[in-house]
Amino acid sequence: MAIRQLSVFVENKQGSLHNITDAIANAGINLRSMCVADTSNYGIVRIIADDPEGAKELLDKDGQAANVRLVNAFAVPDKPGGLASVLRLLEGNGVNIEYMYALITSESGKAYSVMRTGDTEETDRILVANGIELLDESKLH
Amino acid sequence: MEKRKYYQEAIETMPVEEIKKMQSEKLVRQVAHVYKNVPYYRDLMDKKGVKPEDIKGIEDLYKLPFIEKSDLRETYPYGMLAVPLADCVRIQSTSGTTGKRVIAYYTQHDIDLWEECCARAIVAVGADREDVVQVSYGYGLFTGGPGLNGGSHKVGALTLPMSSGNTERQLQFMLDMKATVLCCTPSYAAYLGESLKEQGYTPDQIPLKAGIFGAEPWTQEMRHNIEETLGIKAYDIYGLTEISGPGVSFECSAQGGMHINEDHFLAEIINPETGEPLPEGTKGELVFTCLDKEAFPLLRYRTRDICVLTREPCPCGRTHIRMAKPMGRSDDMMIIRGVNVFPSQIEAVLLAEGFSENYLIKLGRANNSDTFDVYVELRPEQFDDSVKNITAMEKSLANAMRNMIGIGPSVHLVPPKTIARSEGKAKRVIDERNLHD
């Protein structure tokens, strides 16, 4: 079960991030997690929010480059080696991870991660088949 | 033995009145040749109501229609050819795209007169048959290498046909063969100078005594730097493929402008807006008329270079009119690393590749070379969340541009609406090179 992620292509300059988060907040959309990838010229802001499509529509109207796609989100035991075991599993199955970031929840004892791989569906299948706990969007909000 | 001062003294120091008389005679013949053999130009003259017999001398020059770069594109590839192809022995071509490329044709006579012009430039910097001339302009379709190579042969100097690039080899031959004259772009001269300096060579250990540098704009500051690092006198040379190649004009020891080889090329300055000829000493667009070419004799060709002419007597003794270093362009052409680039070429690539036409070209200088960056707005629908894809798009655009114009920019995709829109005409180019003094 993959979850939806909003990503926005922004300028690498002061205020870019604030503008995005402001716009989303003004629409009453709640952010759950966020990660910024930056290069010297631009950044990509990746956001898990409770209404990614609504947020994209808002940004589209403003002429911004926004995209909603599915990413894998899963839980691992909050202990040393918890994440490594999942990554080892994926690597063993030839899954290429493009990026990954942590998702913070109030639930203790577990750590949540979001990742984009070369093949989201296949990754989902592998995680399910190996009993890794997945996050669905209903659990997030 | 005293060095010769001129390659062709009688012509180079000919009294101005005689030059004008010679130009008038040649012009009449050249116009008749073109009218007879170039239907495209004949039509232009007919449309303007000018007959060859209306041109009795250089005072009638203004009656002739202009030729612009667009005419050369329209008549590609053979439309401006004035002799049977079988009489031609060579082509050269401008840098740039298929769309903008110009092919110039040469008979042996045309090659000889071009090489003579280059020989005059080489002798003007104090070189003769005892010298070793290192030609580090590109060889091939570009006129730089072949022109100076031929000029050096005419002078009888030992010629090192190095072409451009391969710096290690350039320096090795320069030092081992004791090159005394270096011909290349000013950027490359500066680069070679820096490389020698880094390797610990001081100017007195470098055999060069003079350099002939052209094909791109350069400043007095660059001239000083090159002269200092290489321990030479640096001379300017000007030319364009459409007219022949390097050597249309060249700097002499007085370094107060470049003498135009007036026995072959008639220069005028016009108002770029109206086309009206302007009096000597006025700044305007430089226009050339070939006087005795056979294969590709362009009449009133608009160079788009903004320039001033002067006929003040020159201490070097040459009587040919002098042109200042071009001060800019009357069109939007950029000269980047010696290559002519139009913003419209960048635009054509963006369009063909499905990108937004909101772009910005930034030119700068780093390590004695031009930096060339193109910023392009990504369309919202082109964004798919991946850095990898953005990088791939940047690379493929840069390649497409390199294929189009011959040199590759660094392409940077930026978010939509981040490139400033100005009222009316968009500002597409930011040139921070300060190439014009």
Side-chain angles (χ1 to χ4, degrees):
Chain A
M1 168 109 26
I3 65 170
R4 289 171 301 165
Q5 169 197 262
L6 171 72
S7 49
V8 193
F9 187 49
V10 296
E11 260 185 299
N12 189 351
K13 78 169 205 200
Q14 199 180 343
S16 291
L17 207 52
H18 175 232
N19 290 342
I20 302 287
T21 49
D22 238 15
I24 294 173
N26 287 341
I29 297 168
N30 191 26
L31 302 184
R32 295 306 310 268
S33 183
M34 175 162 184
C35 130
V36 182
D38 71 305
T39 73
S40 53
N41 287 304
Y42 61 83
I44 296 179
V45 184
R46 300 186 172 110
I47 293 168
I48 304 297
D50 55 13
D51 181 11
E53 303 291 352
K56 174 174 160 34
E57 204 174 306
L58 205 74
L59 295 167
D60 281 349
K61 271 193 200 136
D62 189 40
Q64 305 212 43
N67 174 277
V68 174
R69 63 166 294 119
L70 291 173
V71 289
N72 303 103
F74 55 90
V76 293
D78 192 4
K79 62 173 194 195
L83 180 60
S85 62
V86 176
L87 296 186
R88 193 179 312 118
L89 168 72
L90 292 174
E91 197 197 330
N93 281 277
V95 174
N96 176 40
I97 298 167
E98 296 192 3
Y99 58 78
M100 189 172 142
Y101 55 96
L103 186 64
I104 293 154
T105 70
S106 45
E107 205 173 335
S108 64
K110 281 177 187 162
Y112 293 90
S113 287
V114 175
M115 68 162 54
R116 178 177 168 183
T117 65
D119 185 341
T120 304
E121 244 177 81
E122 171 67 4
T123 307
D124 196 50
R125 198 193 57 73
I126 296 165
L127 293 172
V128 170
N130 288 277
I132 308 291
E133 182 190 338
L134 301 184
L135 244 83
D136 64 37
E137 290 187 14
S138 64
K139 272 198 225 164
L140 277 174
H141 312 305
Chain B
M1 198 178 82
E2 204 188 324
K3 290 250 177 200
R4 66 202 281 195
K5 277 183 77 182
Y6 312 102
Y7 179 67
Q8 288 160 313
E9 183 165 359
I11 294 169
E12 293 178 69
T13 62
M14 183 181 273
V16 173
E17 282 319 305
E18 279 179 49
I19 293 176
K20 289 187 172 174
K21 186 163 165 279
M22 173 163 84
Q23 286 183 321
S24 285
E25 289 164 10
K26 285 187 174 185
L27 179 66
V28 171
R29 284 201 298 275
Q30 186 85 100
V31 171
H33 171 58
V34 172
Y35 190 83
K36 180 166 173 245
N37 297 302
V38 183
Y40 184 88
Y41 197 76
R42 179 161 66 228
D43 287 348
L44 290 182
M45 282 178 65
D46 288 346
K47 266 185 214 138
K48 228 183 156 212
V50 193
K51 293 285 164 208
E53 43 286 13
D54 296 330
I55 309 300
K56 297 189 173 68
I58 56 174
E59 64 281 2
D60 296 321
L61 182 66
Y62 73 95
K63 295 177 182 167
L64 291 169
F66 291 114
I67 295 176
E68 310 218 21
K69 194 112 176 171
S70 57
D71 294 307
L72 301 183
R73 279 205 298 276
E74 201 160 310
T75 56
Y76 177 94
Y78 298 124
M80 285 291 177
L81 188 58
V83 297
L85 201 53
D87 292 348
C88 299
V89 297
R90 171 102 64 85
I91 64 159
Q92 301 286 164
S93 180
T94 57
S95 53
T97 117
T98 20
K100 305 264 185 190
R101 201 177 275 283
V102 171
I103 295 183
Y105 299 85
Y106 302 77
T107 62
Q108 188 56 50
H109 159 91
D110 297 333
I111 297 269
D112 284 338
L113 81 81
W114 170 30
E115 292 180 350
E116 269 172 23
C117 290
C118 291
R120 291 178 196 173
I122 291 169
V123 172
V125 307
D128 63 15
R129 61 189 304 280
E130 306 289 330
D131 280 275
V132 177
V133 178
Q134 175 164 0
V135 182
S136 306
Y137 282 113
Y139 279 62
L141 288 171
F142 177 52
T143 50
L148 272 306
N149 185 89
S152 176
H153 279 218
K154 287 245 189 291
V155 171
L158 178 63
T159 311
L160 313 184
M162 301 301 298
S163 197
S164 52
N166 199 337
T167 300
E168 274 311 301
R169 192 173 63 189
Q170 298 279 358
L171 300 184
Q172 188 200 335
F173 275 77
M174 178 191 292
L175 297 168
D176 293 352
M177 303 305 298
K178 299 186 175 51
T180 53
V181 179
L182 174 65
C183 307
C184 61
T185 62
S187 297
Y188 199 49
Y191 181 75
L192 292 175
E194 289 303 322
S195 304
L196 282 164
K197 199 173 169 184
E198 272 166 30
Q199 294 182 17
Y201 286 94
T202 54
D204 56 309
Q205 294 170 309
I206 300 168
L208 295 174
K209 60 182 188 187
I212 301 176
F213 306 128
E216 66 181 16
W218 52 311
T219 58
Q220 286 299 339
E221 191 192 341
M222 278 179 79
R223 192 202 292 258
H224 290 312
N225 289 343
I226 293 168
E227 288 186 334
E228 228 160 78
T229 48
L230 289 173
I232 61 170
K233 282 275 268 181
Y235 297 88
D236 209 351
I237 187 166
Y238 174 91
L240 56 173
T241 309
E242 292 86 341
I243 297 305
S244 65
V248 168
S249 68
F250 62 87
E251 219 170 40
C252 63
S253 54
Q255 298 198 312
M258 294 176 276
H259 290 282
I260 294 169
N261 283 306
E262 283 195 283
D263 49 328
H264 300 304
F265 315 114
L266 178 53
E268 43 176 343
I269 293 287
I270 62 160
N271 176 332
E273 307 293 330
T274 63
E276 286 302 309
L278 296 174
E280 196 188 297
T282 317
K283 196 164 115 175
E285 183 182 330
L286 184 60
V287 174
F288 279 112
T289 296
C290 297
L291 289 174
D292 50 8
K293 276 180 71 186
E294 293 177 344
F296 203 67
L298 299 188
L299 304 179
R300 296 197 92 197
Y301 179 67
R302 294 186 60 165
T303 65
R304 297 289 176 180
D305 281 324
I306 299 295
C307 193
V308 179
L309 299 179
T310 175
R311 213 180 266 287
E312 292 288 309
C314 183
C316 79
R318 287 177 185 79
T319 49
H320 290 207
I321 200 163
R322 278 172 292 157
M323 59 179 273
K325 199 187 258 297
M327 301 151 187
R329 299 276 305 171
S330 71
D331 62 5
D332 55 2
M333 188 182 90
M334 305 165 281
I335 303 177
I336 309 170
R337 293 177 217 143
V339 176
N340 299 346
V341 180
F342 289 88
S344 57
Q345 297 174 282
I346 301 292
E347 231 163 281
V349 172
L350 293 176
L351 206 68
E353 304 283 320
F355 281 83
S356 142
E357 65 282 18
N358 289 314
Y359 68 96
L360 183 69
I361 297 167
K362 267 193 195 164
L363 304 175
R365 297 281 297 174
N367 302 321
N368 291 311
S369 179
D370 294 330
T371 58
F372 178 19
D373 292 275
V374 179
Y375 295 82
V376 183
E377 283 186 7
L378 195 71
R379 289 185 200 279
E381 63 272 21
Q382 288 175 304
F383 174 62
D384 80 334
D385 167 57
S386 138
V387 174
K388 200 167 73 184
N389 285 349
I390 289 173
T391 308
M393 282 191 276
E394 288 174 336
K395 276 202 181 134
S396 100
L397 262 184
N399 279 337
M401 288 176 191
R402 178 192 301 279
N403 289 338
M404 176 75 138
I405 60 188
I407 56 167
S410 298
V411 173
H412 313 278
L413 290 173
V414 297
K417 299 202 305 182
T418 52
I419 292 175
R421 316 283 199 278
S422 49
E423 300 293 316
K425 205 176 166 193
K427 175 112 180 122
R428 293 301 186 200
V429 182
I430 295 178
D431 192 340
E432 291 170 340
R433 296 177 297 174
N434 300 318
L435 285 175
H436 302 291
D437 289 314

